[in-house]
Amino acid sequence: MTPPPSAAAVRRRDIGRYALGLTVVAVPLLLAVLGPLIAGGPSPRTASFTLGDGHWAGTDFVGRDVWQQALHGGRPVVVTALAATALAYLVALPVGLAGALTHRRWLEETLMRPLDVLLAVPSLLLILLVASAFTPGPVGLALLVALVNVPDAARIVRAAAGQAAARPAVEALRLQGESWWRTAVGHVGRSMVRTLAADAGTRLTGVLYLVATAAFLGVGVAPDAADWAVMVDRNRTGLFVQPWAVVLPALLIVALTMGSNLLFDAALHKPGGGRGKREERP
């Protein structure tokens, strides 16, 4: 019979989970935050898709230094994705909580049924449809990505809150005359923290994918902007001539999404054990 692992071994394993996620996500995050500060001014343009001559990562499709473009291109992706995720939860949390805790059927239907209509439309298609009528900038792109994430996030909040609201403790709080705010935030909100943390890790990855895909298609960014997704799109014609112009920004996007998932996954493990019990969804 295999003996259980020692406390020190379990602690090292837990630390290792955080270390792996932090290591993977730290590189793109640091480049996104500090990159514009250390990139300096634009360097002189040279021949397109070349290596060497002072450009260790080569040049892009118009002769700009790829490394310098990568230093400038992370902040739009990261800021837009984080803003879109935060905005989505800012709307989804009160809507989902109100839908789960209300005793008025008409109010629940009014809140949730319009979101079901949005949920039926593919996210990227909705973004492209809106972008075909209006020309969104970075702020508009963040709002669009947040909008298409609200329906799914609200349904998850409602399911998790409904599970917690059915417990006797919540009914006792109601009978004691506790306010809706204290019941929703003080008890129900705390009960679904782990569920929302798990969803946030997955949703941030999906938001990064949507932001990068929209930028790849030219939505919300200029055609020659310093953006990791735009770099992949504009430089793909020279992939076999100067691969770093495509591989470098693509690797940074992959590291950002994968590192975020690893970090959230590590946070969902209880110290010294397996995953904590998650809220069941009805």
Side-chain angles (χ1 to χ4, degrees):
M1 186 174 179
T2 305
S6 64
V10 172
R11 193 179 302 113
R12 286 195 299 269
R13 185 178 60 189
D14 293 335
I15 293 174
R17 289 193 182 102
Y18 280 103
L20 179 60
L22 283 172
T23 301
V24 174
V25 80
V27 175
L29 277 182
L30 286 175
L31 288 180
V33 174
L34 302 177
L37 302 177
I38 63 178
S43 58
R45 298 189 181 187
T46 58
S48 302
F49 296 130
T50 59
L51 279 169
D53 195 24
H55 307 287
W56 72 267
T59 59
D60 65 1
F61 71 110
V62 291
R64 296 174 299 189
D65 184 80
V66 169
W67 175 243
Q68 193 173 53
Q69 290 296 106
L71 291 176
H72 283 290
R75 188 174 291 181
V77 175
V78 174
V79 172
T80 303
L82 291 177
T85 305
L87 286 170
Y89 280 114
L90 192 63
V91 177
L93 279 171
V95 171
L97 284 172
L101 298 178
T102 184
H103 292 290
R104 299 174 177 84
R105 184 70 178 176
W106 64 268
L107 178 58
E108 181 182 357
E109 293 292 325
T110 302
L111 290 172
M112 303 307 297
R113 293 296 79 82
L115 298 182
D116 291 342
V117 175
L118 284 176
L119 194 62
V121 183
S123 301
L124 187 58
L125 176 60
L126 183 59
I127 291 174
L128 293 177
L129 286 174
V130 175
S132 65
F134 307 97
T135 305
V139 175
L141 178 58
L143 290 173
L144 281 175
V145 174
L147 174 66
V148 299
N149 275 275
V150 165
D152 186 48
R155 288 175 66 88
I156 289 176
V157 171
R158 177 178 172 271
Q163 175 75 16
R167 295 173 181 171
V170 175
E171 188 62 30
L173 289 174
R174 288 172 178 163
L175 294 176
Q176 291 173 7
E178 294 290 350
S179 65
W180 183 92
W181 177 261
R182 184 169 180 179
T183 303
V185 177
H187 183 81
V188 175
R190 286 187 301 173
S191 300
M192 61 183 192
V193 165
R194 298 188 67 83
T195 300
L196 293 183
D199 179 65
T202 305
R203 190 164 306 283
L204 180 59
T205 301
V207 167
L208 282 167
Y209 163 78
L210 270 179
V211 170
T213 304
F216 181 86
L217 297 174
V219 178
V221 294
D224 60 344
D227 183 285
W228 290 343
V230 174
M231 290 175 67
V232 174
D233 177 37
R234 295 296 180 263
N235 295 316
R236 57 197 168 102
T237 55
L239 177 61
F240 297 104
V241 179
Q242 208 290 80
W244 284 112
V246 175
V247 172
L248 180 60
L251 283 177
L252 290 171
I253 293 174
V254 170
L256 188 61
T257 56
M258 185 172 67
S260 300
N261 260 336
L262 288 172
L263 205 56
F264 275 97
D265 188 65
L268 288 173
H269 280 81
K270 282 187 176 180
R275 292 177 184 274
K277 182 179 179 182
R278 295 184 183 177
E279 299 291 339
E280 296 179 0
R281 296 177 189 174

